[in-house]
Amino acid sequence: METGITRDGAIELLRTHNKEPFHLQHALTVEAVMRYMANELGFQDEADFWAMAGLLHDLDFEEYPEQHCIACVQMMRDAGITEELIHAVCSHGYGLGSDVEPEHQMEKVLYATDELTGLIGAAAKMRPSRSCTDMELQSLKKKYKDKKFAAGCSRDVIARGAGMLEWELDDLLTKTLAAMAATEDTIRQEMQEMGI
Ligand SMILES: [Fe+2]
């Protein structure tokens, strides 16, 4: 699976279209979660592709929130990105403005984890440690069930994603929490290096 772009090229493309620190952090987080999941689920050979789909998945969101998963197509084609990666990126907005359905396991993982990383990130910020490394599944489940908490993170999308993967919700929460806990320091360091 080819991406058609190097990681440096993708970071440059991302930073051309994303200025908000929160959006850049989200991109790096989903990239790290996707790489972790590829390795966890036996897709080691495709880990770079999975990670790239995570890094670029919200490329157009900051500039074109109304054309999310649509405006990005031209941006990515102009950057030489493969149609395979474009499909992956667009599929995470399936039913929410995009009619590209997640097909590949990687696309289903992206769909299921994207909103969930936002929820876990928000829950981490509430903790004394400001980290998810000491977060228990039970405490995350409480936040998940509290519809007022991080209301922008759609529980419907998360549940639909778990359904696509045929995973129990607890399983999705456990794996995503573990992925974020394992990669939190790296992302913090990357953000610093990028001067964000
Ligand atoms: Fe996202």
Side-chain angles (χ1 to χ4, degrees), residues 153-164:
C153 301
S154 168
R155 273 58 162 184
D156 286 349
V157 168
I158 297 168
R160 211 178 303 146
M164 284 176 191

Side-chain angles (χ1 to χ4, degrees), residues 47-142:
D48 287 342
F49 190 99
W50 286 47
M52 191 62 83
L55 184 65
L56 295 178
H57 80 283
D58 275 342
L59 181 65
D60 61 9
F61 184 67
E62 191 173 306
E63 292 175 326
Y64 303 97
E66 305 299 326
Q67 285 182 285
H68 184 36
C69 295
I70 295 177
C72 62
V73 174
Q74 201 56 49
M75 288 177 187
M76 289 193 283
R77 278 189 189 142
D78 290 347
I81 289 171
T82 60
E83 292 302 314
E84 214 173 3
L85 186 63
I86 293 173
H87 188 282
V89 164
C90 294
S91 73
H92 93 276
Y94 180 60
L96 309 158
S98 162
D99 56 6
V100 179
E101 194 167 352
E103 290 164 7
H104 189 287
Q105 187 79 348
M106 163 263 311
E107 296 175 336
K108 295 174 186 174
V109 172
L110 177 62
Y111 189 94
T113 55
D114 173 26
E115 297 276 314
L116 181 53
T117 63
L119 180 73
I120 296 173
K125 275 192 194 138
M126 307 282 293
R127 303 176 69 75
S129 62
R130 296 185 66 79
S131 164
C132 54
T133 54
D134 58 356
M135 193 188 298
E136 303 279 346
L137 175 63
Q138 287 311 318
S139 122
L140 175 58
K141 280 173 77 173
K142 262 191 218 155

